[in-house]
Amino acid sequence: MRRTLQLLLIVVVAGVALVACGGGSSKEGPQQAARTAPAIKVGLLLDDVHERWERDRDGFVEVTTGMGAETLVEVAEGDQERQNQQAEKLLAAGVNVLVIVPHDADKATAIVEKAKARKVPVVSYDRLIRNADVDLFIGFNATRIGEMQAEYLLSRAPKGNYLLIGGSETDDNAKRLREGQMKVLEPAVKERAIRIIGDGWAEDWRAEAAAKLTEDALAKAKNNITAIVASNDVTAGAAIGVLEQKGLAGKVLVSGQDAELDAVRRIVAGTQSMTVYKSLRTLTRLAARSAVMLAKGEKVDTSSVTPNGLKDVPTMMFDPIAIDKDNLDGVLIADGFHKRDDVYGKGGS
Ligand code: GAL
């Protein structure tokens, strides 16, 4: 009798174990359930793909895929008409949510209208789409980034000629960066401590446009420039390239944004003064998770709103970190954003 009971117990336990890990025929395990559930389709529309955006794409897709969603990615390469066509393509493909890095904050409104007509929620990623019924804006505080760039340079060069290199005029972030920069610089301009000898905009954030702005300003100031408030690392790199041609690299303070590898190497070399780090791990994970939740019709908790001309857009906003040679190890390398060998070279420190 005792032997029979023991055998029975072993069979029952084995059966339960089999079912629990999905081996049993009676019901699917959790993994199978995810695979057979109708896959959520997420559409991601990027504007550009220099280093920072490659990280956004890869981090975002890693998370949506891990959540069992299929992600369709399109890159507009600076062309809003193309982005609008790509949006049509993704909506026709049946995406359940559209995540957009708008090339043009105003013209991207048409994409939102088409998505909403199909009851597809829209996430404005890193850049705000204006005058549109956006469901979520997720990004970093661009005005604060502009303040950090200007504060860093002004604290080290309280007097002299300043050149401002803005980003794309179609990018809401570029406007907000300039607002933040001028909020810090204005008092020093009023006191005539500093002089702004150029304040142009680099079309589509292109390096060539930033280089031209730098050449024109150096010609106008007869090379007497103290600081360049470059709004991101691509434009900073272009400006520093021009400074190098004139033997001025390292003698002019230059700001940046995105903590791209080339920029961090320039900070180590002393030709770029600082950059601003935005944790793309945070941004991509929360954007991907929120997109899948919106696709499922679930509510996403937000902590603030951002007025976009049409509505107060529910917003997730994160704080940036100013980076220079003193903290790049403790933040960027410790955070795993860059590898030590990539920054300093093999065995460097
Ligand atoms: C901005 C973004 C910056 C920078 C720039 C260039 O909108 O906020 O981080 O990458 O685009 O694409």
Side-chain angles (χ1 to χ4, degrees), residues 84 87-88 91 98 100 105-122 129-135 310:
N84 290 29
E88 292 269 13
L91 290 168
L98 208 46
I100 310 171
D106 295 307
K107 291 182 181 157
T109 307
I111 296 178
V112 180
E113 287 162 358
K114 289 195 176 80
K116 302 305 279 183
R118 293 171 179 247
K119 298 197 181 354
V120 171
V122 175
I129 299 171
R130 285 197 286 259
N131 300 307
D133 183 17
V134 172
D135 296 271
L310 175 73

Side-chain angles (χ1 to χ4, degrees), residues 1-17:
M1 181 58 173
R2 187 179 165 77
R3 180 78 189 127
T4 311
L5 272 178
Q6 276 174 341
L7 277 175
L8 184 63
L9 190 60
I10 288 166
V11 168
V12 168
V13 168
V16 168

Side-chain angles (χ1 to χ4, degrees), residues 45-234:
L45 292 170
L46 294 175
D47 174 27
D48 192 356
V49 276
H50 57 79
E51 180 191 328
R52 160 258 136 117
W53 296 112
E54 286 171 345
R55 285 173 175 271
D56 291 86
R57 177 198 59 210
D58 297 349
F60 183 91
V61 173
E62 181 189 343
V63 175
T64 51
T65 305
M67 294 175 79
E70 178 190 358
T71 310
L72 309 176
V73 183
E74 295 288 344
V75 183
E77 291 171 355
D79 180 330
Q80 188 58 57
E81 189 39 47
R82 182 182 301 159
Q83 188 166 70
N84 290 29
Q85 289 159 7
Q86 290 168 341
E88 292 269 13
K89 177 181 161 191
L90 295 188
L91 290 168
V95 294
N96 307 101
V97 62
L98 208 46
V99 180
I100 310 171
V101 179
H103 169 70
D104 183 315
D106 295 307
K107 291 182 181 157
T109 307
I111 296 178
V112 180
E113 287 162 358
K114 289 195 176 80
K116 302 305 279 183
R118 293 171 179 247
K119 298 197 181 354
V120 171
V122 175
V123 176
S124 209
Y125 181 99
D126 189 80
R127 299 175 179 173
L128 185 65
I129 299 171
R130 285 197 286 259
N131 300 307
D133 183 17
V134 172
D135 296 271
L136 173 68
F137 170 45
I138 184 166
F140 290 84
N141 186 333
T143 306
R144 181 67 198 119
I145 293 171
E147 290 169 4
M148 294 165 95
Q149 292 169 330
E151 282 162 358
Y152 190 95
L153 300 186
L154 191 62
S155 63
R156 290 157 177 83
K159 294 183 185 317
N161 290 335
Y162 275 58
L163 165 63
L164 308 186
I165 301 181
S168 168
E169 282 191 280
T170 63
D171 179 354
D172 188 67
N173 284 346
K175 302 292 180 63
R176 292 172 189 268
L177 285 159
R178 179 61 58 84
E179 273 167 34
Q181 292 159 1
M182 287 312 297
K183 184 178 155 196
V184 169
L185 297 176
E186 210 100 68
V189 172
K190 284 205 173 68
E191 291 158 20
R192 298 183 185 284
I194 68 171
R195 202 158 64 95
I196 292 176
I197 50 118
D199 60 357
W201 303 88
E203 191 184 4
D204 296 344
W205 292 91
R206 284 185 306 103
E208 303 74 25
K212 178 75 171 57
L213 290 169
T214 308
E215 284 155 2
D216 294 351
L218 285 167
K220 181 179 171 186
K222 297 184 177 49
N223 287 355
N224 174 19
I225 287 186
T226 310
I228 298 176
V229 188
S231 292
N232 82 329
D233 289 338
V234 167

Side-chain angles (χ1 to χ4, degrees), residues 248-283:
L248 295 171
K251 300 188 179 96
V252 178
L253 298 179
V254 182
S255 66
Q257 177 194 186
D258 295 323
E260 293 196 339
L261 182 57
D262 288 350
V264 175
R265 284 176 174 155
R266 289 193 293 266
I267 290 171
V268 171
T271 55
Q272 184 165 334
S273 311
M274 64 85 71
T275 184
V276 177
Y277 172 52
K278 308 187 309 189
S279 168
L280 298 183
R281 185 205 306 266
T282 303
L283 180 62

